Amino acid sequence: MYEYKGDKQPVGYYSSMKPFTHHEIMAQKGDIMYLFTDGYADQFGGSRGKKFMSSQLKQHLVSMFELPLHEQKEKLDKLFMSWQGDLEQIDDVTVIGIKL
């Protein structure tokens, strides 16, 4: 897994905007790219009410990358709902998987 970190600024207007970092990614047929916001990783839940964390999200993505994308979506949805439990969703959650 290769990770390209995003810039720490909003996409919309912000009073001190800086140019976004340009990344060129070398990819080949069969590669999968995942793009996600911090909403999944920042969700509180689990038995101790802690954040899910991006490291845990990445582990799950690596463990299921060979599955068809629709099955990955189902697993991520179930995992998120299970983690969140009765707690309120605190942020927007976006995960995009693209298979080349």
Side-chain angles (χ1 to χ4, degrees), residues 10-22:
V11 175
Y13 176 76
Y14 184 61
S15 59
S16 59
M17 294 291 288
K18 298 175 185 163
F20 286 100
T21 304
H22 176 82

Side-chain angles (χ1 to χ4, degrees), residues 22-87:
H22 176 82
H23 297 280
E24 288 194 26
I25 300 170
M26 301 302 293
Q28 51 191 314
K29 186 174 180 163
D31 286 351
I32 299 178
M33 292 185 203
Y34 298 101
L35 299 102
F36 48 89
T37 62
D38 60 356
Y40 201 113
D42 286 350
Q43 179 61 45
F44 291 101
S47 61
R48 297 175 36 201
K50 300 282 187 173
K51 284 187 178 184
F52 190 82
M53 304 301 287
S54 62
S55 59
Q56 189 173 188
L57 175 57
K58 288 181 242 179
Q59 286 175 350
H60 283 281
L61 293 173
V62 167
S63 75
M64 63 181 169
F65 80 95
E66 293 180 305
L67 297 173
L69 291 177
H70 71 275
E71 288 183 32
Q72 292 183 39
K73 178 195 180 308
E74 290 173 11
K75 285 183 171 279
L76 285 174
D77 286 347
K78 286 179 184 175
L79 179 62
F80 185 82
M81 297 306 286
S82 174
W83 179 263
Q84 181 182 353
D86 293 333
L87 297 177

